[in-house]
Amino acid sequence: MFAFSLPFFFVLVFTTTTTTAQPYKPTDIFFLNCGSSTPSSSSSEPRWDGDEHSNFVPSNTLTSSFSSTPDCLDASVPKIPYSTARIFKTSSFTYTFPVSQGPKFLRLHFYPATYSDLDTQQSFFSVSSNGYTLLTNFSAFLTLSFLRSRTKATDARVVKEFLIYVKDTQILNVTFTPSHNSYAFINGIEIVSMPENLYFNANTPKYVDMQTSPHIDSETALENIYRLNMGGGSISANNDTGMYRSWDQDNNYLHGNITGLRPVTNNSIMYTTGTPNYTAPEPVYQTQRSMGKQSDKYYLSWILPVDSGFYYILRLHFCNIIPQYTKAGQVIFMIFFNRQTAEQEVDLSYWTQHSGYPVFKDYIVFVNDPDGSRMLCARPVRIHGLPNEEVSLAHWGKFCYEKGTLHNIIDPELRGVIAPECLRRFGEVAVSCLKEQRSERPAMDEVVWGLEFAMELQEAAEKTVGGVVSENQEPLLPMQGEATNITDDDVVTGSTPTRNGTSSISSSYEGFKSETVSSEIQKPAGR
């Protein structure tokens, strides 16, 4: 979970001349209705073109994929593009879009349903674009289930939004690759250009509780996780500033019973060169959550579920729309992310020119496991610049597990604290989640059970004299099979007992399944 607190107000995006000009006009815009052979009605906005006979698909489209329709369409889901889908079962399939150089939004639309009587539990696939791995072993069905359980979401669709900088090749490829014995599907693809410095090469963000972090430039791909309109209603893609971004309400993410005040103004927003009119639509700045004169008594807090082990960029939007707050010292507040202080004392009068003038601030945070159960190594999942075998934490962890040297990668603070049996069990859980074959990976409830069991082993060891390893002693971890010919690009998995055709982590319980999302994708490796 990712928590942040504010005693005043803001708008969140996960990731100057006063003017009322028209919004941004994208230089590249594609809306592709996958699985369809006809365009959407000319009266609809935007217009979606079918991919069946388009120039964006390969010549062997009819033999390498097929179109299908869902068994039913939920009332919450628009007919276009979710009433058709393109299915890929045997091999990779690549869409190719000619675009200009510069940053682009890439949005992938998924409606998890039954297509052509295919088993929904057999839908796992990867998605890559221009050398970046965006999704790995992705299941739209599991993702929707997670979102509904953690965020109170009622939508029946999944939209993945990525930000990719297209270089001088002026081509944006999107490749879908089914996992072994699985199928991939896609309902719709959007590509929309954006202003050059809106997200990439923008003003240097503030690092929270760290000295350095990744630089967001043309070598980096991003995924948008949340885009919330604080205190206001949802804003549809058609009501954005020309980039078709959707803005959700913040109601489902508020923590506790404190919701604050919700001032509203109908006055025009005075955009500036520092915050141009395409930065966010006016309704974002015309509504807010405020603590009013009670801001010194309690906080406004939001809880956003995210994956640990990644860097996250937070863009906070501010605009003073309360007429009586016009002087310095009247609007002062602090900002916290995960109990870390991002701003000790903000006086909004120093950030904005006057009432009605918007401003935004960017922050970068690194999120560790908040429960302290899955982050034993105290490092990001990827660190470029290390020896090849150590760049990926997953690769390095499997390598050490197979060699029986898992203790070499744990956080030094935990050496002498974690019991060998607990560490071994954590290793078994992690390695089982990284199995190449989906059928060999366990279910999420089994993952939770395994981690709880590891904690029980730790607690039992702490009650036993000598049960925890001393700082000068290395825990003895058994070799999990013979690891031979291990290279930088391959890790030999050890022997694992099986039962009824499924893998098990040990002879005492069965294996685990894992799905991970990233907010910041550096270089081609991604997720």
Side-chain angles (χ1 to χ4, degrees), residues 35 51-52 57-58 60-68 85-93 95 184:
D51 72 340
E52 187 83 4
V57 297
N60 64 341
T61 299
L62 298 181
T63 58
S64 59
S65 69
F66 63 92
S67 60
S68 184
R86 184 154 299 281
I87 313 295
F88 323 104
K89 290 189 64 177
T90 58
S91 60
S92 296
F93 186 97
Y95 289 90

Side-chain angles (χ1 to χ4, degrees), residues 226-473:
Y226 299 99
R227 184 180 291 115
L228 304 180
N229 181 19
M230 301 311 198
S234 59
I235 301 174
S236 69
N238 287 344
N239 290 320
D240 188 41
T241 58
M243 290 169 274
Y244 295 93
R245 298 168 297 179
S246 296
W247 303 73
D248 297 324
Q249 289 182 312
D250 68 332
N251 300 14
N252 291 337
Y253 306 94
L254 280 166
H255 178 60
N257 297 323
I258 300 175
T259 61
L261 306 175
R262 296 196 294 174
V264 178
T265 182
N266 293 320
N267 295 334
S268 297
I269 298 301
M270 312 299 286
Y271 290 99
T272 64
T273 55
T275 308
N277 62 348
Y278 53 71
T279 303
E282 279 196 313
V284 167
Y285 296 115
Q286 290 172 329
T287 60
Q288 64 180 225
R289 288 197 186 271
S290 168
M291 297 304 295
K293 296 181 180 180
Q294 304 297 317
S295 59
D296 59 337
K297 293 183 171 60
Y298 44 84
Y299 292 152
L300 276 176
S301 297
W302 291 260
I303 301 291
L304 303 177
V306 298
D307 290 307
S308 60
F310 293 97
Y311 291 101
Y312 289 86
I313 306 164
L314 294 101
R315 172 164 294 181
L316 309 187
H317 295 256
F318 302 90
C319 185
N320 184 11
I321 60 173
I322 304 177
Q324 60 267 33
Y325 294 157
T326 59
K327 299 178 181 179
Q330 290 184 316
V331 182
I332 298 178
F333 53 95
M334 295 180 292
I335 303 175
F336 302 92
F337 300 122
N338 277 8
R339 301 185 181 91
Q340 301 297 329
T341 302
E343 298 288 354
Q344 182 65 43
E345 184 176 276
V346 173
D347 188 331
L348 197 59
S349 65
Y350 293 109
W351 279 4
T352 61
Q353 297 182 23
H354 303 286
S355 295
Y357 284 78
V359 67
F360 65 87
K361 298 292 182 179
D362 290 343
Y363 302 86
I364 293 185
V365 298
F366 180 75
V367 176
N368 286 315
D369 187 339
D371 299 321
S373 62
R374 292 169 185 75
M375 294 299 293
L376 293 177
C377 306
R379 56 156 282 183
V381 292
R382 298 191 65 81
I383 302 179
H384 298 283
L386 292 179
N388 289 341
E389 67 274 12
E390 298 182 27
V391 170
S392 166
L393 179 58
H395 185 109
W396 183 227
K398 288 172 65 177
F399 181 92
C400 291
Y401 180 80
E402 297 294 341
K403 298 289 287 184
T405 58
L406 192 60
H407 57 277
N408 288 339
I409 69 169
I410 66 173
D411 184 352
E413 296 288 334
L414 295 179
R415 292 175 184 171
V417 176
I418 188 169
E421 297 84 0
C422 176
L423 179 58
R424 185 182 303 116
R425 189 65 62 172
F426 271 119
E428 291 171 351
V429 172
V431 170
S432 294
C433 291
L434 296 171
K435 292 286 187 180
E436 291 294 332
Q437 300 299 322
R438 183 188 64 82
S439 60
E440 296 180 353
R441 289 189 301 270
M444 187 56 68
D445 57 345
E446 295 171 325
V447 175
V448 174
W449 188 94
L451 295 176
E452 290 176 347
F453 184 59
M455 295 305 296
E456 291 176 4
L457 291 173
Q458 177 68 25
E459 293 170 359
E462 291 174 353
K463 295 177 182 179
T464 304
V465 177
V468 178
V469 182
S470 67
E471 293 189 11
N472 296 324
Q473 177 187 1

